[in-house]
Amino acid sequence: MDIFIKIIYAAISILVATLYGLILIGIVHKIYARVHRRIGPPVWQPILDIIQTHGRKVATSHGIMFFLGPVFRMAGGMGTYLFMPVIFGSVVFSNYSMAGDLLLVMYFIFFGQLGMALGAGEGGHPYSPLGIARGLSQMSTFELPFSLAVISIAIQYQTLNITTIVAAQQGGMLNWTLFTNPLAVIAAMISLLGMNMHSPFSLVLAPQEIPIGPPIEMNGSFLGILQTNRALFASAKLVLFMNLFFGGATNLPIMMLKTFSIYMFSVFIGAAFPRFRPEQSFRFFLRIPTLIGILSVIVIAYL
Amino acid sequence: MKEKDIKIIEKEMKLANEGLPEMERDLFADDRPSRIEPLNKYLEQFLNWARARSLWILAYGTGCGAIELRPLMTARFDAFRYGIAGRPTPRQANVFIIGGYASLKTIKRIVRSYEQMQGPKYVIALGSCTINGGMYYDSYNTINRIDYYIPVDIYVTGCMPRPESLIAGFNGLKKKIQAGQCDGMNKYADNFDWYKANQKQIIKDWNMPDYNW
């Protein structure tokens, strides 16, 4: 019986995270609009878009993998979200955090991309593999500083369990990883810029270069699933960063405040800078953030 | 023969794809478009409400009218505040703006793009030349009436209409969508043979499948 209650709680948690992610994307549209001196769409516009895409009467599929691509992507987003505690100490929002650890979550971040790569490739449009090549290359490069940051905090807290990491940061702001291991946080936050794929690193969707890349052939409900996942995945990544570096959250408003602030970091940078070319982006991640990551591991291990 | 039987036979009838070389015909689809009825009246009303608030324009400028789309999206007119956004691929767009005159070369691409769009899809004909040819009424190289070739939902007259009139056109389209009167997709499926005959009459180098989806 216990497992059923757990499943219901997980469903509630996913619903809240998805809605929160959608509103977050709406707020980002609004912020970008204000930067352009426009009024911008209402914040609930992403929700209307999802209803509209699911409401299409026709959906063209190109084969089984095309069908499964968005499903894998959604599984990646859900997996990332489900194996970490969203709110520390809460029963409803603890998800299945005890079942997994940091490495599993990191695997799920990559998993969705790989599934999408298989699915979008079957669409047959030349821009899909181009976007996937860019996406996977960029992902490999920004995972490097992120992995180094994770190694660093694993040495620091002597564990890979996210709940334990959050527990270790309780009891005041100065216990956050941000202050106890600043180098790891800097490396990870720079890799977050790549993960969120806002402007300097928006190589994958790049509407003016490779018209929206991998999902170019996705239509109707396929696109609806991808959009839902984008919201869920965005909140999952933010929650992960909040848990690892910013002390986690003990209630819902604190969680929303912290994740919103973390997201705004990449949004403001995105609104201010133009897009990198692929090779510029890859080189950027492999240089300074990676060096900072290595430094953080050395500092935490030997000093 | 009963009317029901005729319908079944018509449904089973496959497209010939005669424009394609014989060895390539197997690679393309040969199904005809079919009429799709809404599942449920109230669900359809709700979906129409959402559809009217989320219009995705296909980013394909078919004529000089496409120049009006830039100020429409930028700071001065900002159509995104009404939920009108550009979409780079016909698979995802649901509004097709025919921006002014359509030359014989363009009409081929218009047909292909329109057929690739996933319904329900709406067409806005922008400028006088889409209605009666406008200043190109006697040109050898442009078509006069766009609604002989694809079903049109809203006309915006003028040469050139300003972005304000285009926004007014969008508002008209929204009202029609919400009232459930925009059924271009089914209209195209019902009168498919008529539209195809018109298209083939003017597109001489027909080297594509009969229905691109």
Side-chain angles (χ1 to χ4, degrees):
Chain A
M1 208 55 214
D2 226 24
I3 190 76
F4 287 112
I5 293 169
K6 196 91 180 155
I7 288 170
I8 292 167
Y9 283 163
I12 294 170
S13 166
I14 283 179
L15 196 70
V16 170
T18 311
L19 277 176
Y20 174 62
L22 287 171
I23 297 292
L24 214 55
I25 292 172
I27 293 172
V28 172
H29 280 164
K30 203 88 182 160
I31 288 172
Y32 274 117
R34 289 303 159 97
V35 173
H36 298 160
R37 298 204 169 187
R38 291 188 284 115
I39 294 169
V43 286
W44 51 85
Q45 185 65 40
I47 300 173
L48 292 175
D49 287 344
I50 284 180
I51 298 172
Q52 183 256 108
T53 45
H54 279 297
R56 294 291 174 93
K57 288 178 181 168
V58 199
T60 303
S61 174
H62 295 275
I64 295 169
M65 272 324 291
F66 187 84
F67 195 86
L68 287 177
V71 178
F72 281 155
R73 194 88 176 93
M74 190 76 195
M78 277 176 145
T80 313
Y81 183 75
L82 276 179
F83 289 108
M84 57 190 172
V86 180
I87 293 169
F88 180 66
S90 157
V91 185
V92 183
F93 287 95
S94 68
N95 289 340
Y96 295 92
S97 53
M98 284 314 185
D101 60 12
L102 196 43
L103 291 182
L104 184 68
V105 170
M106 280 175 73
Y107 165 72
F108 268 118
I109 293 179
F110 218 109
F111 174 79
Q113 281 267 6
L114 291 174
M116 185 64 199
L118 290 171
E122 205 175 25
H125 198 288
Y127 285 137
S128 299
L130 209 58
I132 289 160
R134 286 175 168 209
L136 289 179
S137 325
Q138 178 168 270
M139 189 151 216
S140 315
T141 54
F142 71 63
E143 282 273 304
L144 194 60
F146 181 62
S147 311
L148 286 166
V150 165
I151 292 168
S152 173
I153 60 169
I155 298 169
Q156 185 186 354
Y157 295 114
Q158 294 294 318
T159 177
L160 278 167
N161 189 321
I162 300 175
T163 315
T164 322
I165 293 174
V166 178
Q169 296 178 65
Q170 298 303 309
M173 218 169 163
L174 288 175
N175 290 345
W176 294 2
T177 319
L178 178 64
F179 296 105
T180 53
N181 190 357
L183 284 175
V185 179
I186 292 170
M189 286 307 274
I190 295 174
S191 82
L192 179 74
L193 294 177
M195 253 185 231
N196 279 340
M197 289 194 235
H198 278 289
S199 199
F201 308 106
S202 55
L203 303 176
V204 182
L205 297 184
Q208 298 87 354
E209 290 171 35
I210 46 163
I212 78 164
I216 188 162
E217 276 289 312
M218 298 287 169
N219 55 72
S221 294
F222 300 112
L223 188 68
I225 294 174
L226 289 181
Q227 281 176 316
T228 317
N229 173 65
R230 190 174 301 166
L232 178 62
F233 198 41
S235 31
K237 277 182 295 194
L238 295 174
V239 167
L240 176 66
F241 272 71
M242 176 190 76
N243 280 338
L244 293 184
F245 307 117
F246 298 93
T250 44
N251 55 41
L252 205 58
I254 292 284
M255 186 278 269
M256 288 182 174
L257 187 73
K258 281 187 181 174
T259 47
F260 183 78
S261 316
I262 299 169
Y263 200 31
M264 284 310 116
F265 170 66
S266 62
V267 170
F268 287 147
I269 288 180
F273 289 98
R275 186 184 305 133
F276 272 148
R277 287 206 306 270
E279 73 277 13
Q280 287 172 324
S281 161
F282 307 154
R283 283 189 187 134
F284 173 82
F285 281 120
L286 291 177
R287 279 174 186 165
I288 298 164
T290 308
L291 282 177
I292 297 173
I294 294 169
L295 206 63
S296 82
V297 173
I298 294 170
V299 166
I300 212 75
Y302 297 106
L303 297 182
Chain B
M1 209 184 274
K2 283 179 195 167
E3 202 180 330
K4 207 176 163 188
D5 294 333
I6 296 172
K7 272 190 181 167
I8 291 168
I9 290 170
E10 266 183 357
K11 213 174 180 183
E12 284 174 353
M13 235 165 59
K14 297 288 183 187
L15 296 168
N17 286 344
E18 278 168 349
L20 295 167
E22 211 158 313
M23 56 188 295
E24 283 181 16
R25 278 182 204 170
D26 289 345
L27 302 173
F28 291 89
D30 54 2
D31 283 339
R32 302 164 67 86
S34 54
R35 193 180 173 81
I36 296 169
E37 298 297 344
L39 286 173
N40 175 297
K41 190 180 141 200
Y42 298 104
L43 178 69
E44 188 68 8
Q45 280 174 1
F46 169 67
L47 288 177
N48 280 339
W49 172 83
R51 282 168 191 151
R53 277 156 185 78
S54 165
L55 297 171
W56 288 354
I57 309 170
L58 176 60
Y60 170 38
T62 61
C64 48
I67 203 80
E68 299 297 325
L69 297 181
R70 277 79 179 175
L72 189 75
M73 300 316 295
T74 46
R76 177 123 186 228
F77 295 102
D78 184 25
F80 200 13
R81 69 196 143 127
Y82 303 119
I84 300 163
R87 213 67 199 176
T89 147
R91 291 286 186 213
Q92 296 167 5
N94 60 359
V95 180
F96 197 176
I97 299 178
I98 309 295
Y101 69 90
S103 69
L104 296 189
K105 263 188 179 178
T106 317
I107 190 78
K108 192 171 169 185
R109 276 79 188 169
I110 288 175
V111 168
R112 287 202 87 155
S113 308
Y114 179 76
E115 287 177 351
Q116 281 181 51
M117 284 164 68
Q118 309 290 308
K121 45 195 173 184
Y122 319 108
V123 176
I124 295 181
L126 177 69
S128 301
C129 21
T130 54
I131 301 168
N132 56 11
M135 63 189 283
Y136 301 102
Y137 74 98
D138 59 349
S139 164
Y140 68 98
N141 197 28
T142 51
I143 54 134
N144 281 0
R145 280 185 62 169
I146 193 73
D147 72 344
Y148 281 160
Y149 310 101
I150 53 173
V152 177
D153 293 294
I154 284 279
Y155 290 101
V156 180
T157 58
C159 183
M160 280 310 299
R162 283 183 55 79
E164 288 100 323
S165 25
L166 193 51
I167 289 178
F170 269 115
N171 285 338
L173 181 70
K174 280 183 177 188
K175 278 181 196 152
K176 275 187 86 173
I177 294 171
Q178 209 153 347
Q181 292 165 350
C182 288
D183 209 13
M185 183 183 77
N186 284 341
K187 197 178 164 193
Y188 193 73
D190 289 345
N191 306 309
F192 185 67
D193 292 322
W194 184 77
Y195 281 117
K196 268 302 134 185
N198 287 349
Q199 290 162 6
K200 286 190 173 172
Q201 207 174 0
I202 52 154
I203 303 172
K204 298 297 176 202
D205 57 336
W206 189 282
N207 54 359
M208 55 186 187
D210 285 341
Y211 182 59
N212 310 275
W213 57 270

